[in-house]
């Protein structure tokens, strides 16, 4: 088991950070970031995939998703937001098909089953809630700064924007804070039905592919 290692960096796959940045600059001229109509604060998204034939599955509640949190001093866990069937997200957004993101999406899809795949913008000097998700997340940093940290349980991690791909165990309580003075931009994908942080599956499915961070 890897009880203290909740982030795994894939070592046999790495993308061109300049092309990732260029693709990001392209899509923000095509699509605006979505914050679920103001429901979500300090973070917003642009979807890279959707439910096949359903353009509305890129906005509103689909920019967020079910999670659990402990919001106040009594420490009681509560469930928030609607359930989303991540397995239905299989169609890449046609408007972005001529960007480097399509290549990235196809390459990652050859390794993992992806659910919602989004470009997430985390605003400067802001944090997420302390929460856990139904499934792990895959991260590809595009723009970051040294003040950006993902905290999973009692450990903080920094993921550099160098084209690397990270798997994060967001089924455990975590948050993300941007302590810098510029937006943090990551590609983030859900990994539905994944048990990647189980030791036996890690050894079988990812042997020689990854290192723990």
């Amino acid at each position: 088991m890897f009880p203290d290692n909740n982030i795994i960096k894939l070592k046999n796959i790495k993308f061109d950070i300049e092309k990732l940045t260029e693709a990001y600059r392209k899509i923000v001229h095509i699509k605006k970031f979505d914050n679920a109509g103001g429901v979500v604060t300090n973070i917003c998204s642009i979807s890279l995939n959707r439910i096949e034939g359903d353009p509305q599955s890129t906005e509103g509640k689909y920019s967020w998703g079910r999670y659990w949190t402990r919001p106040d001093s009594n420490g009681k866990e509560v469930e928030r937001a609607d359930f989303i069937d991540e397995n239905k997200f299989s169609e890449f957004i046609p408007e972005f098909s001529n960007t480097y993101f399509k290549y990235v999406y196809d390459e990652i899809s050859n390794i993992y089953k992806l659910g919602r795949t989004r470009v997430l913008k985390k605003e400067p000097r802001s944090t997420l809630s302390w929460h856990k998700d139904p499934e792990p997340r895959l991260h590809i940093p595009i723009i970051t700064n040294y003040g950006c940290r993902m905290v999973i349980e009692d450990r903080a991690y920094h993921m550099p924007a160098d084209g690397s791909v990270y798997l994060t165990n967001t089924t455990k309580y975590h948050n993300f804070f941007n302590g810098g003075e510029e937006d943090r931009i990551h590609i983030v994908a859900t990994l539905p039905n994944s048990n990647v942080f189980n030791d036996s599956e890690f050894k079988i499915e990812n042997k020689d592919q990854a290192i723990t961070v």
Side-chain angles (χ1 to χ4, degrees), residues 134-170:
E135 62 283 301
R137 300 285 195 267
L138 179 148
H139 280 249
I140 305 174
I142 300 175
I143 299 172
T144 191
N145 63 79
Y146 195 69
C148 288
R149 290 289 188 276
M150 187 168 197
V151 180
I152 303 179
E153 294 190 320
D154 297 325
R155 184 174 173 186
Y157 307 82
H158 174 68
M159 293 176 277
D162 60 5
S164 296
V165 180
Y166 298 86
L167 309 182
T168 65
N169 191 1
T170 50

Side-chain angles (χ1 to χ4, degrees), residues 68-78 80 129-130 173:
W68 293 266
T69 187
R70 301 180 188 273
D72 53 40
S73 59
N74 68 26
K76 183 179 179 181
E77 184 176 84
V78 297
R80 295 277 172 81
S129 64
W130 188 243
Y173 268 92

Side-chain angles (χ1 to χ4, degrees), residues 80-182:
R80 295 277 172 81
D82 294 333
F83 167 77
I84 294 176
D85 189 347
E86 302 285 350
N87 290 291
K88 291 183 177 180
F89 286 78
S90 59
E91 182 178 38
F92 191 80
I93 301 298
E95 292 90 336
F96 304 151
S97 60
N98 292 325
T99 72
Y100 187 63
F101 286 157
K102 179 63 165 62
Y103 169 77
V104 171
Y105 182 82
D106 289 345
E107 289 293 298
I108 296 296
S109 295
N110 288 331
I111 306 172
Y112 296 105
K113 164 65 179 174
L114 300 181
R116 285 175 302 145
T117 305
R118 300 162 291 158
V119 175
L120 293 185
K121 179 172 73 172
K122 187 80 187 72
E123 295 179 352
R125 297 184 177 182
S126 66
T127 183
L128 297 178
S129 64
W130 188 243
H131 70 286
K132 66 180 182 180
D133 300 312
E135 62 283 301
R137 300 285 195 267
L138 179 148
H139 280 249
I140 305 174
I142 300 175
I143 299 172
T144 191
N145 63 79
Y146 195 69
C148 288
R149 290 289 188 276
M150 187 168 197
V151 180
I152 303 179
E153 294 190 320
D154 297 325
R155 184 174 173 186
Y157 307 82
H158 174 68
M159 293 176 277
D162 60 5
S164 296
V165 180
Y166 298 86
L167 309 182
T168 65
N169 191 1
T170 50
T171 65
K172 294 187 176 182
Y173 268 92
H174 66 282
N175 74 358
F176 200 107
F177 66 85
N178 179 358
E181 298 181 356
E182 63 179 353

Side-chain angles (χ1 to χ4, degrees), residues 2-54:
F2 298 98
D4 297 318
N5 293 283
N6 291 308
I7 293 189
I8 294 170
K9 181 170 77 171
L10 302 184
K11 67 178 184 180
N12 288 346
I13 184 167
K14 194 171 186 177
F15 297 105
D16 187 315
I17 188 60
E18 292 185 3
K19 291 181 179 179
L20 285 167
T21 304
E22 180 184 4
Y24 167 66
R25 303 296 184 199
K26 285 182 179 179
I27 70 165
V28 294
H29 289 293
I30 300 172
K31 184 81 172 180
K32 292 182 178 180
F33 279 95
D34 190 294
N35 67 352
V39 173
V40 180
T41 58
N42 300 320
I43 191 167
C44 50
S45 66
I46 296 176
S47 296
L48 295 181
N49 66 353
R50 67 189 185 189
I51 297 173
E52 186 172 2
D54 183 3

